[in-house]
PDB file of all heavy atoms in Angstrom:
ATOM      1  N   VAL W1233      63.306  51.392  77.557  1.00  0.00           N
ATOM      2  CA  VAL W1233      64.136  52.094  76.678  1.00  0.00           C
ATOM      3  C   VAL W1233      63.349  53.296  76.113  1.00  0.00           C
ATOM      4  O   VAL W1233      62.309  53.114  75.479  1.00  0.00           O
ATOM      5  CB  VAL W1233      64.555  51.207  75.477  1.00  0.00           C
ATOM      6  CG1 VAL W1233      65.432  51.905  74.534  1.00  0.00           C
ATOM      7  CG2 VAL W1233      65.412  49.925  76.022  1.00  0.00           C
ATOM      8  N   LEU W1234      63.776  54.496  76.435  1.00  0.00           N
ATOM      9  CA  LEU W1234      63.168  55.741  75.913  1.00  0.00           C
ATOM     10  C   LEU W1234      63.704  56.006  74.440  1.00  0.00           C
ATOM     11  O   LEU W1234      62.971  56.224  73.494  1.00  0.00           O
ATOM     12  CB  LEU W1234      63.428  56.910  76.811  1.00  0.00           C
ATOM     13  CG  LEU W1234      62.889  56.778  78.214  1.00  0.00           C
ATOM     14  CD1 LEU W1234      63.187  57.997  79.093  1.00  0.00           C
ATOM     15  CD2 LEU W1234      61.435  56.528  78.276  1.00  0.00           C
ATOM     16  N   THR W1235      64.965  56.027  74.389  1.00  0.00           N
ATOM     17  CA  THR W1235      65.725  56.167  73.139  1.00  0.00           C
ATOM     18  C   THR W1235      66.998  55.179  73.252  1.00  0.00           C
ATOM     19  O   THR W1235      67.363  54.741  74.381  1.00  0.00           O
ATOM     20  CB  THR W1235      66.161  57.547  72.825  1.00  0.00           C
ATOM     21  OG1 THR W1235      67.165  57.989  73.829  1.00  0.00           O
ATOM     22  CG2 THR W1235      64.950  58.508  72.813  1.00  0.00           C
ATOM     23  N   PRO W1236      67.724  54.950  72.166  1.00  0.00           N
ATOM     24  CA  PRO W1236      68.801  54.030  72.230  1.00  0.00           C
ATOM     25  C   PRO W1236      69.873  54.578  73.201  1.00  0.00           C
ATOM     26  O   PRO W1236      70.743  53.865  73.691  1.00  0.00           O
ATOM     27  CB  PRO W1236      69.402  53.968  70.851  1.00  0.00           C
ATOM     28  CG  PRO W1236      68.110  54.175  70.054  1.00  0.00           C
ATOM     29  CD  PRO W1236      67.326  55.147  70.748  1.00  0.00           C
ATOM     30  N   ASP W1237      70.010  55.926  73.493  1.00  0.00           N
ATOM     31  CA  ASP W1237      70.964  56.327  74.398  1.00  0.00           C
ATOM     32  C   ASP W1237      70.402  56.978  75.673  1.00  0.00           C
ATOM     33  O   ASP W1237      71.036  57.743  76.487  1.00  0.00           O
ATOM     34  CB  ASP W1237      71.840  57.507  73.752  1.00  0.00           C
ATOM     35  CG  ASP W1237      70.941  58.732  73.350  1.00  0.00           C
ATOM     36  OD1 ASP W1237      69.727  58.673  73.522  1.00  0.00           O
ATOM     37  OD2 ASP W1237      71.544  59.682  72.831  1.00  0.00           O
ATOM     38  N   HIS W1238      69.133  56.539  75.994  1.00  0.00           N
ATOM     39  CA  HIS W1238      68.522  56.986  77.257  1.00  0.00           C
ATOM     40  C   HIS W1238      67.572  55.948  77.792  1.00  0.00           C
ATOM     41  O   HIS W1238      66.566  55.533  77.123  1.00  0.00           O
ATOM     42  CB  HIS W1238      67.732  58.193  76.981  1.00  0.00           C
ATOM     43  CG  HIS W1238      67.204  58.892  78.273  1.00  0.00           C
ATOM     44  ND1 HIS W1238      66.330  60.070  78.278  1.00  0.00           N
ATOM     45  CD2 HIS W1238      67.512  58.631  79.589  1.00  0.00           C
ATOM     46  CE1 HIS W1238      66.188  60.397  79.479  1.00  0.00           C
ATOM     47  NE2 HIS W1238      66.626  59.561  80.244  1.00  0.00           N
ATOM     48  N   LEU W1239      67.910  55.323  78.915  1.00  0.00           N
ATOM     49  CA  LEU W1239      67.186  54.213  79.419  1.00  0.00           C
ATOM     50  C   LEU W1239      66.754  54.546  80.824  1.00  0.00           C
ATOM     51  O   LEU W1239      67.303  55.394  81.573  1.00  0.00           O
ATOM     52  CB  LEU W1239      67.977  52.922  79.487  1.00  0.00           C
ATOM     53  CG  LEU W1239      68.825  52.552  78.282  1.00  0.00           C
ATOM     54  CD1 LEU W1239      69.597  51.270  78.535  1.00  0.00           C
ATOM     55  CD2 LEU W1239      67.999  52.439  77.083  1.00  0.00           C
ATOM     56  N   VAL W1240      65.621  53.947  81.330  1.00  0.00           N
ATOM     57  CA  VAL W1240      65.155  54.091  82.686  1.00  0.00           C
ATOM     58  C   VAL W1240      64.997  52.780  83.297  1.00  0.00           C
ATOM     59  O   VAL W1240      64.506  51.843  82.686  1.00  0.00           O
ATOM     60  CB  VAL W1240      63.674  54.818  82.679  1.00  0.00           C
ATOM     61  CG1 VAL W1240      63.226  54.997  84.074  1.00  0.00           C
ATOM     62  CG2 VAL W1240      63.808  56.173  81.927  1.00  0.00           C
ATOM     63  N   MET W1241      65.534  52.641  84.514  1.00  0.00           N
ATOM     64  CA  MET W1241      65.515  51.338  85.245  1.00  0.00           C
ATOM     65  C   MET W1241      65.193  51.470  86.717  1.00  0.00           C
ATOM     66  O   MET W1241      65.237  52.492  87.218  1.00  0.00           O
ATOM     67  CB  MET W1241      66.865  50.643  85.029  1.00  0.00           C
ATOM     68  CG  MET W1241      68.052  51.434  85.548  1.00  0.00           C
ATOM     69  SD  MET W1241      69.591  50.661  85.248  1.00  0.00           S
ATOM     70  CE  MET W1241      69.506  49.166  86.422  1.00  0.00           C
ATOM     71  N   ARG W1242      64.596  50.283  87.206  1.00  0.00           N
ATOM     72  CA  ARG W1242      64.370  50.168  88.593  1.00  0.00           C
ATOM     73  C   ARG W1242      65.194  48.967  89.070  1.00  0.00           C
ATOM     74  O   ARG W1242      65.352  47.940  88.363  1.00  0.00           O
ATOM     75  CB  ARG W1242      62.883  50.002  88.904  1.00  0.00           C
ATOM     76  CG  ARG W1242      62.118  51.222  88.561  1.00  0.00           C
ATOM     77  CD  ARG W1242      60.586  51.025  88.766  1.00  0.00           C
ATOM     78  NE  ARG W1242      60.276  50.716  90.203  1.00  0.00           N
ATOM     79  CZ  ARG W1242      59.069  50.324  90.546  1.00  0.00           C
ATOM     80  NH1 ARG W1242      58.103  50.058  89.587  1.00  0.00           N
ATOM     81  NH2 ARG W1242      58.870  50.121  91.825  1.00  0.00           N
ATOM     82  N   VAL W1243      65.516  49.016  90.367  1.00  0.00           N
ATOM     83  CA  VAL W1243      66.567  48.107  90.892  1.00  0.00           C
ATOM     84  C   VAL W1243      65.995  47.237  92.054  1.00  0.00           C
ATOM     85  O   VAL W1243      65.374  47.834  93.009  1.00  0.00           O
ATOM     86  CB  VAL W1243      67.844  48.768  91.337  1.00  0.00           C
ATOM     87  CG1 VAL W1243      68.756  47.877  91.987  1.00  0.00           C
ATOM     88  CG2 VAL W1243      68.456  49.543  90.153  1.00  0.00           C
ATOM     89  N   TRP W1244      66.228  45.931  92.046  1.00  0.00           N
ATOM     90  CA  TRP W1244      65.997  45.156  93.202  1.00  0.00           C
ATOM     91  C   TRP W1244      67.441  44.456  93.450  1.00  0.00           C
ATOM     92  O   TRP W1244      67.910  43.629  92.645  1.00  0.00           O
ATOM     93  CB  TRP W1244      64.972  44.016  92.968  1.00  0.00           C
ATOM     94  CG  TRP W1244      64.806  43.030  94.189  1.00  0.00           C
ATOM     95  CD1 TRP W1244      65.665  41.970  94.373  1.00  0.00           C
ATOM     96  CD2 TRP W1244      63.954  43.160  95.192  1.00  0.00           C
ATOM     97  NE1 TRP W1244      65.224  41.379  95.526  1.00  0.00           N
ATOM     98  CE2 TRP W1244      64.150  42.028  95.979  1.00  0.00           C
ATOM     99  CE3 TRP W1244      62.889  44.015  95.498  1.00  0.00           C
ATOM    100  CZ2 TRP W1244      63.475  41.852  97.246  1.00  0.00           C
ATOM    101  CZ3 TRP W1244      62.135  43.743  96.687  1.00  0.00           C
ATOM    102  CH2 TRP W1244      62.449  42.683  97.477  1.00  0.00           C
ATOM    103  N   GLU W1245      68.139  44.804  94.536  1.00  0.00           N
ATOM    104  CA  GLU W1245      69.478  44.286  94.741  1.00  0.00           C
ATOM    105  C   GLU W1245      69.422  43.035  95.632  1.00  0.00           C
ATOM    106  O   GLU W1245      68.709  42.995  96.597  1.00  0.00           O
ATOM    107  CB  GLU W1245      70.295  45.433  95.490  1.00  0.00           C
ATOM    108  CG  GLU W1245      70.762  46.534  94.500  1.00  0.00           C
ATOM    109  CD  GLU W1245      71.981  47.237  95.070  1.00  0.00           C
ATOM    110  OE1 GLU W1245      73.052  46.608  95.338  1.00  0.00           O
ATOM    111  OE2 GLU W1245      71.835  48.440  95.209  1.00  0.00           O
ATOM    112  N   ARG W1246      70.228  42.101  95.250  1.00  0.00           N
ATOM    113  CA  ARG W1246      70.347  40.820  96.091  1.00  0.00           C
ATOM    114  C   ARG W1246      70.873  41.163  97.433  1.00  0.00           C
ATOM    115  O   ARG W1246      71.903  41.851  97.630  1.00  0.00           O
ATOM    116  CB  ARG W1246      71.447  40.033  95.301  1.00  0.00           C
ATOM    117  CG  ARG W1246      71.700  38.677  95.912  1.00  0.00           C
ATOM    118  CD  ARG W1246      72.801  37.956  95.184  1.00  0.00           C
ATOM    119  NE  ARG W1246      73.973  38.750  94.994  1.00  0.00           N
ATOM    120  CZ  ARG W1246      75.265  38.221  94.641  1.00  0.00           C
ATOM    121  NH1 ARG W1246      75.265  36.901  94.321  1.00  0.00           N
ATOM    122  NH2 ARG W1246      76.253  38.893  94.569  1.00  0.00           N
ATOM    123  N   GLY W1247      70.136  40.749  98.416  1.00  0.00           N
ATOM    124  CA  GLY W1247      70.457  41.065  99.837  1.00  0.00           C
ATOM    125  C   GLY W1247      70.132  42.355 100.287  1.00  0.00           C
ATOM    126  O   GLY W1247      70.328  42.600 101.490  1.00  0.00           O
ATOM    127  N   ALA W1248      69.571  43.171  99.503  1.00  0.00           N
ATOM    128  CA  ALA W1248      69.206  44.526 100.018  1.00  0.00           C
ATOM    129  C   ALA W1248      67.743  44.929  99.644  1.00  0.00           C
ATOM    130  O   ALA W1248      67.205  45.804 100.321  1.00  0.00           O
ATOM    131  CB  ALA W1248      70.133  45.550  99.457  1.00  0.00           C
ATOM    132  N   GLY W1249      67.204  44.385  98.567  1.00  0.00           N
ATOM    133  CA  GLY W1249      65.874  44.706  98.171  1.00  0.00           C
ATOM    134  C   GLY W1249      65.855  45.976  97.327  1.00  0.00           C
ATOM    135  O   GLY W1249      66.838  46.243  96.530  1.00  0.00           O
ATOM    136  N   PRO W1250      64.813  46.723  97.179  1.00  0.00           N
ATOM    137  CA  PRO W1250      64.699  47.875  96.438  1.00  0.00           C
ATOM    138  C   PRO W1250      65.683  48.920  96.830  1.00  0.00           C
ATOM    139  O   PRO W1250      65.770  49.338  98.039  1.00  0.00           O
ATOM    140  CB  PRO W1250      63.196  48.369  96.592  1.00  0.00           C
ATOM    141  CG  PRO W1250      62.523  47.273  97.259  1.00  0.00           C
ATOM    142  CD  PRO W1250      63.530  46.525  97.997  1.00  0.00           C
ATOM    143  N   THR W1251      66.585  49.369  95.879  1.00  0.00           N
ATOM    144  CA  THR W1251      67.430  50.552  96.243  1.00  0.00           C
ATOM    145  C   THR W1251      67.337  51.611  95.160  1.00  0.00           C
ATOM    146  O   THR W1251      66.771  51.454  94.065  1.00  0.00           O
ATOM    147  CB  THR W1251      68.886  50.009  96.264  1.00  0.00           C
ATOM    148  OG1 THR W1251      69.304  49.457  95.047  1.00  0.00           O
ATOM    149  CG2 THR W1251      69.066  48.977  97.363  1.00  0.00           C
ATOM    150  N   LEU W1252      67.879  52.714  95.513  1.00  0.00           N
ATOM    151  CA  LEU W1252      67.716  53.865  94.513  1.00  0.00           C
ATOM    152  C   LEU W1252      68.686  53.829  93.431  1.00  0.00           C
ATOM    153  O   LEU W1252      68.510  54.525  92.379  1.00  0.00           O
ATOM    154  CB  LEU W1252      67.945  55.228  95.349  1.00  0.00           C
ATOM    155  CG  LEU W1252      66.904  55.425  96.430  1.00  0.00           C
ATOM    156  CD1 LEU W1252      67.269  56.701  97.108  1.00  0.00           C
ATOM    157  CD2 LEU W1252      65.478  55.533  95.829  1.00  0.00           C
ATOM    158  N   ALA W1253      69.741  52.904  93.476  1.00  0.00           N
ATOM    159  CA  ALA W1253      70.685  52.851  92.351  1.00  0.00           C
ATOM    160  C   ALA W1253      71.568  51.570  92.554  1.00  0.00           C
ATOM    161  O   ALA W1253      71.625  51.095  93.635  1.00  0.00           O
ATOM    162  CB  ALA W1253      71.577  54.026  92.305  1.00  0.00           C
ATOM    163  N   CYS W1254      72.096  51.166  91.411  1.00  0.00           N
ATOM    164  CA  CYS W1254      73.005  49.935  91.429  1.00  0.00           C
ATOM    165  C   CYS W1254      73.909  50.253  90.281  1.00  0.00           C
ATOM    166  O   CYS W1254      73.565  50.125  89.023  1.00  0.00           O
ATOM    167  CB  CYS W1254      72.224  48.706  91.290  1.00  0.00           C
ATOM    168  SG  CYS W1254      73.301  47.201  91.155  1.00  0.00           S
ATOM    169  N   GLY W1255      75.152  50.428  90.508  1.00  0.00           N
ATOM    170  CA  GLY W1255      76.171  50.740  89.524  1.00  0.00           C
ATOM    171  C   GLY W1255      76.503  49.531  88.636  1.00  0.00           C
ATOM    172  O   GLY W1255      76.444  49.601  87.442  1.00  0.00           O
ATOM    173  N   THR W1256      76.817  48.345  89.255  1.00  0.00           N
ATOM    174  CA  THR W1256      77.078  47.177  88.466  1.00  0.00           C
ATOM    175  C   THR W1256      75.837  46.837  87.627  1.00  0.00           C
ATOM    176  O   THR W1256      75.819  46.331  86.531  1.00  0.00           O
ATOM    177  CB  THR W1256      77.561  45.935  89.331  1.00  0.00           C
ATOM    178  OG1 THR W1256      76.455  45.840  90.421  1.00  0.00           O
ATOM    179  CG2 THR W1256      78.806  46.268  89.998  1.00  0.00           C
ATOM    180  N   GLY W1257      74.572  47.065  88.276  1.00  0.00           N
ATOM    181  CA  GLY W1257      73.394  46.802  87.500  1.00  0.00           C
ATOM    182  C   GLY W1257      73.180  47.664  86.326  1.00  0.00           C
ATOM    183  O   GLY W1257      72.651  47.237  85.287  1.00  0.00           O
ATOM    184  N   ALA W1258      73.546  48.970  86.383  1.00  0.00           N
ATOM    185  CA  ALA W1258      73.427  49.861  85.231  1.00  0.00           C
ATOM    186  C   ALA W1258      74.276  49.380  84.185  1.00  0.00           C
ATOM    187  O   ALA W1258      73.946  49.412  82.968  1.00  0.00           O
ATOM    188  CB  ALA W1258      73.700  51.296  85.740  1.00  0.00           C
ATOM    189  N   CYS W1259      75.605  48.935  84.496  1.00  0.00           N
ATOM    190  CA  CYS W1259      76.476  48.408  83.547  1.00  0.00           C
ATOM    191  C   CYS W1259      75.957  47.221  82.885  1.00  0.00           C
ATOM    192  O   CYS W1259      75.938  47.116  81.646  1.00  0.00           O
ATOM    193  CB  CYS W1259      77.837  48.190  84.226  1.00  0.00           C
ATOM    194  SG  CYS W1259      78.681  49.625  84.939  1.00  0.00           S
ATOM    195  N   ALA W1260      75.414  46.194  83.660  1.00  0.00           N
ATOM    196  CA  ALA W1260      74.895  44.929  83.060  1.00  0.00           C
ATOM    197  C   ALA W1260      73.685  45.254  82.263  1.00  0.00           C
ATOM    198  O   ALA W1260      73.486  44.611  81.124  1.00  0.00           O
ATOM    199  CB  ALA W1260      74.588  44.007  84.224  1.00  0.00           C
ATOM    200  N   THR W1261      72.915  46.239  82.653  1.00  0.00           N
ATOM    201  CA  THR W1261      71.684  46.596  81.859  1.00  0.00           C
ATOM    202  C   THR W1261      71.991  47.235  80.489  1.00  0.00           C
ATOM    203  O   THR W1261      71.406  46.840  79.521  1.00  0.00           O
ATOM    204  CB  THR W1261      70.782  47.556  82.741  1.00  0.00           C
ATOM    205  OG1 THR W1261      70.373  46.850  83.906  1.00  0.00           O
ATOM    206  CG2 THR W1261      69.544  48.067  81.857  1.00  0.00           C
ATOM    207  N   LEU W1262      72.970  48.117  80.511  1.00  0.00           N
ATOM    208  CA  LEU W1262      73.492  48.678  79.259  1.00  0.00           C
ATOM    209  C   LEU W1262      73.980  47.596  78.260  1.00  0.00           C
ATOM    210  O   LEU W1262      73.661  47.548  77.106  1.00  0.00           O
ATOM    211  CB  LEU W1262      74.510  49.794  79.451  1.00  0.00           C
ATOM    212  CG  LEU W1262      74.953  50.526  78.360  1.00  0.00           C
ATOM    213  CD1 LEU W1262      76.118  49.944  77.475  1.00  0.00           C
ATOM    214  CD2 LEU W1262      73.873  51.127  77.438  1.00  0.00           C
ATOM    215  N   VAL W1263      74.735  46.717  78.798  1.00  0.00           N
ATOM    216  CA  VAL W1263      75.415  45.577  77.985  1.00  0.00           C
ATOM    217  C   VAL W1263      74.319  44.675  77.472  1.00  0.00           C
ATOM    218  O   VAL W1263      74.239  44.455  76.313  1.00  0.00           O
ATOM    219  CB  VAL W1263      76.391  44.772  78.877  1.00  0.00           C
ATOM    220  CG1 VAL W1263      76.759  43.422  78.167  1.00  0.00           C
ATOM    221  CG2 VAL W1263      77.608  45.522  79.204  1.00  0.00           C
ATOM    222  N   ALA W1264      73.409  44.264  78.329  1.00  0.00           N
ATOM    223  CA  ALA W1264      72.315  43.437  77.832  1.00  0.00           C
ATOM    224  C   ALA W1264      71.430  44.088  76.846  1.00  0.00           C
ATOM    225  O   ALA W1264      71.056  43.528  75.886  1.00  0.00           O
ATOM    226  CB  ALA W1264      71.438  43.039  79.053  1.00  0.00           C
ATOM    227  N   CYS W1265      71.101  45.381  77.025  1.00  0.00           N
ATOM    228  CA  CYS W1265      70.205  46.103  76.081  1.00  0.00           C
ATOM    229  C   CYS W1265      70.948  46.231  74.720  1.00  0.00           C
ATOM    230  O   CYS W1265      70.272  46.250  73.717  1.00  0.00           O
ATOM    231  CB  CYS W1265      69.701  47.358  76.721  1.00  0.00           C
ATOM    232  SG  CYS W1265      68.491  47.203  77.978  1.00  0.00           S
ATOM    233  N   HIS W1266      72.202  46.600  74.846  1.00  0.00           N
ATOM    234  CA  HIS W1266      72.955  46.707  73.501  1.00  0.00           C
ATOM    235  C   HIS W1266      72.915  45.351  72.723  1.00  0.00           C
ATOM    236  O   HIS W1266      72.711  45.349  71.468  1.00  0.00           O
ATOM    237  CB  HIS W1266      74.382  47.146  73.784  1.00  0.00           C
ATOM    238  CG  HIS W1266      75.220  47.298  72.508  1.00  0.00           C
ATOM    239  ND1 HIS W1266      74.969  48.247  71.599  1.00  0.00           N
ATOM    240  CD2 HIS W1266      76.138  46.540  71.997  1.00  0.00           C
ATOM    241  CE1 HIS W1266      75.763  48.118  70.551  1.00  0.00           C
ATOM    242  NE2 HIS W1266      76.490  47.024  70.812  1.00  0.00           N
ATOM    243  N   LEU W1267      73.255  44.309  73.384  1.00  0.00           N
ATOM    244  CA  LEU W1267      73.286  43.033  72.683  1.00  0.00           C
ATOM    245  C   LEU W1267      71.878  42.595  72.263  1.00  0.00           C
ATOM    246  O   LEU W1267      71.719  41.820  71.234  1.00  0.00           O
ATOM    247  CB  LEU W1267      73.903  41.901  73.673  1.00  0.00           C
ATOM    248  CG  LEU W1267      75.356  42.128  73.916  1.00  0.00           C
ATOM    249  CD1 LEU W1267      75.774  40.998  74.970  1.00  0.00           C
ATOM    250  CD2 LEU W1267      76.201  41.930  72.766  1.00  0.00           C
ATOM    251  N   LEU W1268      70.834  43.022  72.972  1.00  0.00           N
ATOM    252  CA  LEU W1268      69.481  42.666  72.484  1.00  0.00           C
ATOM    253  C   LEU W1268      69.008  43.634  71.314  1.00  0.00           C
ATOM    254  O   LEU W1268      67.798  43.442  70.862  1.00  0.00           O
ATOM    255  CB  LEU W1268      68.484  42.825  73.720  1.00  0.00           C
ATOM    256  CG  LEU W1268      68.678  41.766  74.797  1.00  0.00           C
ATOM    257  CD1 LEU W1268      67.757  42.180  76.034  1.00  0.00           C
ATOM    258  CD2 LEU W1268      68.393  40.373  74.284  1.00  0.00           C
ATOM    259  N   GLY W1269      69.826  44.564  70.995  1.00  0.00           N
ATOM    260  CA  GLY W1269      69.508  45.497  69.942  1.00  0.00           C
ATOM    261  C   GLY W1269      68.675  46.669  70.297  1.00  0.00           C
ATOM    262  O   GLY W1269      68.069  47.299  69.490  1.00  0.00           O
ATOM    263  N   LEU W1270      68.577  46.979  71.630  1.00  0.00           N
ATOM    264  CA  LEU W1270      67.653  48.057  72.184  1.00  0.00           C
ATOM    265  C   LEU W1270      68.454  49.335  72.494  1.00  0.00           C
ATOM    266  O   LEU W1270      67.808  50.333  72.563  1.00  0.00           O
ATOM    267  CB  LEU W1270      67.083  47.481  73.387  1.00  0.00           C
ATOM    268  CG  LEU W1270      66.256  46.228  73.231  1.00  0.00           C
ATOM    269  CD1 LEU W1270      65.749  45.773  74.654  1.00  0.00           C
ATOM    270  CD2 LEU W1270      65.062  46.464  72.330  1.00  0.00           C
ATOM    271  N   ALA W1271      69.777  49.233  72.572  1.00  0.00           N
ATOM    272  CA  ALA W1271      70.485  50.470  72.996  1.00  0.00           C
ATOM    273  C   ALA W1271      71.880  50.613  72.380  1.00  0.00           C
ATOM    274  O   ALA W1271      72.461  49.554  71.905  1.00  0.00           O
ATOM    275  CB  ALA W1271      70.742  50.399  74.588  1.00  0.00           C
ATOM    276  N   ASP W1272      72.408  51.892  72.417  1.00  0.00           N
ATOM    277  CA  ASP W1272      73.717  52.018  71.863  1.00  0.00           C
ATOM    278  C   ASP W1272      74.751  51.586  72.893  1.00  0.00           C
ATOM    279  O   ASP W1272      74.319  51.104  73.990  1.00  0.00           O
ATOM    280  CB  ASP W1272      73.912  53.590  71.733  1.00  0.00           C
ATOM    281  CG  ASP W1272      73.065  54.102  70.582  1.00  0.00           C
ATOM    282  OD1 ASP W1272      72.641  53.391  69.760  1.00  0.00           O
ATOM    283  OD2 ASP W1272      72.772  55.351  70.705  1.00  0.00           O
TER     284      ASP W1272
END
């Protein structure tokens, strides 16, 4: 978490390994970080 509205993430996808992006993963990460009090 850089700021509450700016996060940086790295992805390991199930069945694919390291990838450059994951859309569902970005969504889940924002949800989790908001509920943990880390992000907007």
